[in-house]
C-alpha cells in the first residue's frame, strides 16, 4: 500500500529525495534473501532498482517485488525478503459473513486453502452460488460470486380469506401479516404469521374452513350449540323444548352441503308447541300407559275387557295437530262375522247380516246344484244350523259339493259304514260289484255331460 508508509520508510523516502547531485556514489549492500535473490545480482548504486525473485512457494514480503537503492545505502521501501506465499485476507462478500475455521485463525491462507461464507440474518443464499473461495497458486483468491440476497417469504395464499393489511410486493424477514376469512368460513390456525429467515412463515399461514351459520334459535326451546359460530361440516345440533312443550319436527339438524360448495343446515329447526291430544275414552277397555296428560308423540296401547273385542287399532300416537292416529278404537262385545261356506248361502235370517251376537244362530244351505255335507262328508238333506260362540267363532260349518261329486262321496261313505258294520265277506263282494257298476255309470254320465 504505497500511501501508508511506516516512519522508517518515510525517512528513507525523504533521504532519497534529498540526495544532492554530484555527491559520492552510495552503494547499497547486497542483501541476503532467504528463499530468494535480487536481479540483477549486485553493484547497487544510489537510485538503482532491483527485482526480488523468490523461490517457488515464496513471495516478496508485502507483495513488493521491486526495491530501490536509496541514500545512506538503505533499500527503499525496506530490505528485500521472501516470505512463504499466501493469499491476503479473504475479500468481503455482500450480505455474507466469513466463516474461518480454527486453523485459519492465524490468518495464514496458503494456496489451496479454502474459506466459506454464510448469509447474514435476513438474507438467504442465492441458489447455485458456491459459498467457498480458494487461495490460488498466484496468491489470489478465486472470484467470490454474489452469494446472498434479502430473504423473502412466499406471498401468503389464503383461499376464501384475505390479509387484514394491504398486500405487499414482497415479504421480507420480520414482516407480520394478519389474516381474516370470508363470510361463511372460519380461520383454522393462527390469525397472525411472521416471515422468518429461511423464507418460512411462522406459525404457518392459516386456512379458511367452510362453516355453517349459527344454528337457528327457536322460541320456547334451546339447542345444543349455544353461542357456536364456526360449526363445521357434519356438526349435529340437537333441540329441546322447555318443560311442558312438545318438539314438533326433527329433533336434530346437521351442517351439510346442498350445492357442494356452501354449507347449510339439513332442515328447518323444530318448533316447540303445546300439543295435547284429547283424553282417549275406551269403554269396556284399558289404556296404557296410564297418564294424565297426552302430549305430542305419546304412544298408547289399548286392550278390551273380557267378552269384548277391539274395533280399530291396538295402538295410537298423539299427532302434531292434536289428534290420535290411528283413531282411538272401541271395545265391542265379541261377535261372529257372517260365516262363509263356498257354494253355500244363508237361509235365515233372511238376507244375512255382517255381525251375529253370541248364541245367535244362522241357517245355511247350498247353492242349487250343490249337495250339503256335514264336516264328516255325510250328505245332509235340508239345511245346517251354526251358532256364534263366545270367542267370536262358529260351531262347525258344513260343506257344499257339486252334486255328482257328492253322490260319489255318498257311496264311499256307505261302503265305509258297511265295513264298519261287519257285513259277511260274500255280501261285501256282491256289494262292491254293484258299487263298481254304479261308479262306471257315473263316469259315463260325466263323459256325456262334457
Ligand atoms: C491468478 O491466477 C488465476 C487463474 O490461474 C487468474 O485467473 C488470475 O488472473 C491470476 N491473478 C493474477 C493477479 O495474476
Ligand atoms: C355459495 O354462496 C355464495 C354467497 O352466498 C354464492 O354467491 C354462491 O353462488 C354459492 N355457491 C353455490 C354453488 O350456490
Ligand atoms: C249363551 O247360551 C249359554 C247356554 O244357553 C248361556 O249360558 C250363556 O250365558 C249365553 N250367552 C250369552 C252371551 O247370551
Ligand atoms: C565493481 C563494479 O563493477 N563497479 C562498477 C559499478 O557501476 C559503476 C557505474 O555504473 C561503475 O562505474 C563501476 O565500475
Amino acid at each position: 500500500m504505497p500511501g501508508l508508509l511506516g516512519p522508517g520508510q518515510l525517512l528513507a523516502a525523504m533521504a532519497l529525495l534529498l540526495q544532492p547531485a554530484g555527491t559520492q556514489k552510495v552503494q547499497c549492500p547486497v542483501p541476503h534473501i532467504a528463499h530468494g535473490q535480487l536481479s540483477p545480482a549486485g553493484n547497487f548504486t544510489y537510485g538503482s532498482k532491483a527485482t526480488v525473485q523468490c523461490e517457488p512457494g515464496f513471495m516478496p514480503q508485502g507483495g513488493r517485488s521491486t526495491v530501490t537503492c536509496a541514500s545512506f545505502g538503505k533499500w527503499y521501501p525496506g530490505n528485500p525478503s521472501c516470505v512463504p506465499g499466501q493469499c491476503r485476507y479473504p475479500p468481503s462478500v455482500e450480505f455474507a459473513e466469513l466463516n474461518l475455521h480454527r486453523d485459519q485463525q492465524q490468518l495464514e491462507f496458503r494456496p489451496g486453502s479454502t474459506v466459506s461464507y454464510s448469509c447474514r440474518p435476513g438474507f438467504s443464499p442465492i441458489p447455485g452460488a458456491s459459498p467457498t473461495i480458494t487461495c490460488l497458486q498466484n496468491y489470489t483468491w478465486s472470484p467470490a460470486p454474489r452469494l446472498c440476497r434479502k430473504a423473502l417469504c412466499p406471498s401468503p395464499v389464503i383461499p376464501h380469506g384475505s390479509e387484514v393489511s394491504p398486500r405487499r410486493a414482497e415479504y421480507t424477514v420480520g414482516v407480520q401479516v394478519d389474516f381474516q376469512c370470508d363470510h361463511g368460513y372460519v380461520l383454522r390456525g393462527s390469525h397472525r404469521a411472521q416471515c422468518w429467515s429461511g423464507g418460512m412463515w411462522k406459525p404457518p399461514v392459516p386456512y379458511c374452513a367452510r362453516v355453517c351459520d349459527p344454528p337457528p334459535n327457536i322460541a320456547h326451546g334451546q339447542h345444543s350449540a349455544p353461542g357456536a359460530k364456526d360449526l363445521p361440516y357434519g356438526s349435529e345440533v340437537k333441540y329441546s323444548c322447555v318443560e311442558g312443550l312438545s318438539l314438533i319436527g326433527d329433533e336434530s339438524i346437521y351442517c351439510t352441503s346442498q350445492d357442494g360448495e356452501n354449507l347449510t343446515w339439513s332442515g328447518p329447526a323444530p318448533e316447540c308447541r303445546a300439543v295435547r291430544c284429547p283424553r282417549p275414552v275406551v269403554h269396556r277397555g284399558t289404556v296404557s300407559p296410564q297418564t294424565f296428560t297426552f302430549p305430542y308423540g305419546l304412544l298408547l296401547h289399548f286392550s278390551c275387557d273380557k267378552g269384548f273385542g277391539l274395533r280399530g287399532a291396538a295402538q295410537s300416537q298423539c299427532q302434531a295437530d292434536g289428534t290420535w292416529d290411528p283413531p282411538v278404537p272401541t271395545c265391542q262385545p265379541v261377535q261372529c262375522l257372517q260365516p262363509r261356506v263356498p257354494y253355500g248361502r244363508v237361509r235365515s235370517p233372511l238376507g244375512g247380516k255382517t255381525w251375529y251376537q253370541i248364541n245367535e244362530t244362522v241357517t245355511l244351505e247350498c247353492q242349487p246344484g250343490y249337495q250339503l255335507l256335514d264336516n264328516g262328508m255325510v250328505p245332509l238333506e235340508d239345511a245346517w244350523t251354526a251358532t256364534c260362540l263366545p270367542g267370536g267363532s262358529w260351531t262347525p260349518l258344513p260343506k257344499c259339493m257339486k252334486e255328482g261329486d257328492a253322490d260319489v262321496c255318498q257311496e264311499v261313505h256307505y261302503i265305509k259304514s258297511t265295513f264298519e258294520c261287519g257285513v259277511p265277506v260274500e255280501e261285501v263282494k256282491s256289494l262292491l260289484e254293484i258299487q263298481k257298476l254304479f261308479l262306471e255309470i257315473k263316469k259315463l254320465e260325466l263323459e256325456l255331460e262334457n
Side-chain angles (χ1 to χ4, degrees):
M1 292 196 185
L4 291 172
L5 301 176
Q9 290 169 331
L10 195 63
L11 211 66
M14 282 166 67
L16 182 67
L17 294 169
L18 292 171
Q19 184 68 32
T23 48
Q24 204 188 350
K25 290 283 183 197
V26 174
Q27 289 274 321
C28 281
V30 177
H32 170 75
I33 303 174
H35 306 296
Q37 59 181 44
L38 278 186
S39 165
N43 191 10
F44 300 108
T45 54
Y46 172 80
S48 64
K49 291 180 189 304
T51 306
V52 186
Q53 288 177 331
C54 296
E55 291 171 9
F58 292 85
M59 59 184 283
Q61 189 174 31
R64 301 181 294 267
S65 52
T66 305
V67 288
T68 307
C69 180
S71 56
F72 310 115
K74 300 269 189 220
W75 286 102
Y76 173 82
N79 274 347
S81 67
C82 285
V83 293
Q86 63 174 32
C87 283
R88 287 160 173 266
Y89 193 79
S92 61
V93 173
E94 197 181 24
F95 308 135
E97 275 167 358
L98 180 65
N99 308 320
L100 295 179
H101 21 97
R102 193 178 292 274
D103 60 357
Q104 291 173 327
Q105 301 296 318
Q106 280 74 39
L107 304 182
E108 284 182 350
F109 304 100
R110 304 276 175 227
S113 65
T114 59
V115 292
S116 62
Y117 296 85
S118 55
C119 293
R120 296 215 304 264
F123 296 86
S124 56
I126 295 171
S130 166
T132 302
I133 59 171
T134 307
C135 179
L136 301 176
Q137 290 306 324
N138 59 9
Y139 312 122
T140 63
W141 290 102
S142 61
R146 248 193 99 217
L147 283 177
C148 304
R149 61 182 177 194
K150 231 191 233 175
L152 295 181
C153 282
S155 297
V157 177
I158 177 161
H160 308 298
S162 58
E163 292 168 41
V164 176
S165 44
R167 282 185 71 81
R168 298 159 185 252
E170 59 179 30
Y171 295 83
T172 49
V173 171
V175 164
Q176 276 190 348
V177 177
D178 291 302
F179 300 100
Q180 65 190 5
C181 287
D182 299 343
H183 178 75
Y185 291 82
V186 68
L187 197 99
R188 302 276 187 228
S190 170
H191 281 264
R192 172 174 292 182
Q194 189 171 21
C195 178
W196 282 60
S197 59
M200 267 169 37
W201 289 103
K202 282 189 195 172
V205 173
Y207 66 95
C208 292
R210 292 176 309 174
V211 287
C212 271
D213 291 335
N217 292 319
I218 57 169
H220 314 301
Q222 67 243 338
H223 58 69
S224 55
K229 286 201 296 281
D230 52 356
L231 293 169
Y233 184 86
S235 303
E236 179 189 5
V237 172
K238 225 171 183 165
Y239 285 86
S240 57
C241 292
V242 298
E243 181 142 12
L245 295 191
S246 301
L247 191 86
I248 313 296
D250 291 334
E251 189 186 22
S252 291
I253 58 175
Y254 299 86
C255 180
T256 180
S257 181
Q258 253 120 47
D259 57 17
E261 184 189 329
N262 295 320
L263 295 186
T264 53
W265 291 105
S266 56
E271 282 177 67
C272 289
R273 275 197 267 135
V275 170
R276 291 286 178 274
C277 280
R279 164 179 291 278
V281 179
V282 181
H283 295 295
R284 300 284 196 171
T286 314
V287 178
S288 69
Q290 290 191 326
T291 127
F292 296 105
T293 58
F294 301 90
Y296 167 74
L298 181 69
L299 185 67
L300 295 181
H301 299 268
F302 306 102
S303 57
C304 290
D305 299 347
K306 202 165 177 201
F308 291 79
L310 272 178
R311 197 67 56 78
Q315 57 185 39
S316 178
Q317 194 165 28
C318 179
Q319 304 297 308
D321 62 1
T323 61
W324 291 103
D325 185 60
V328 173
T330 57
C331 285
Q332 299 290 329
V334 173
Q335 292 179 323
C336 295
L337 200 60
Q338 167 159 302
R340 300 202 70 81
V341 173
Y343 309 113
R345 60 188 179 189
V346 175
R347 181 189 286 177
S348 76
L350 205 60
K353 50 184 192 173
T354 309
W355 293 99
Y356 296 83
Q357 301 298 326
I358 304 295
N359 286 354
E360 201 175 348
T361 58
V362 65
T363 309
L364 300 161
E365 61 183 5
C366 287
Q367 289 172 10
Y370 288 83
Q371 167 75 53
L372 191 67
L373 305 169
D374 73 3
N375 50 354
M377 299 310 254
V378 179
L380 302 166
E381 270 313 304
D382 193 16
W384 179 272
T385 299
T387 307
C388 175
L389 296 172
S393 60
W394 291 97
T395 53
L397 295 174
K399 291 190 165 56
C400 288
M401 195 160 279
K402 212 164 178 213
E403 261 166 2
D405 300 345
D407 288 350
V408 177
C409 285
Q410 206 166 350
E411 288 309 311
V412 172
H413 187 77
Y414 177 69
I415 295 162
K416 219 171 135 210
S417 60
T418 312
F419 274 108
E420 280 162 4
C421 294
V423 178
V425 177
E426 277 310 305
E427 276 181 46
V428 170
K429 207 174 160 190
S430 55
L431 251 174
L432 286 175
E433 270 162 15
I434 295 163
Q435 298 299 330
K436 192 182 164 201
L437 216 63
F438 170 81
L439 289 173
E440 274 167 8
I441 293 162
K442 275 285 160 196
K443 196 181 160 207
L444 266 172
E445 271 178 13
L446 278 172
E447 277 169 10
L448 281 174
E449 264 178 45
N450 294 344

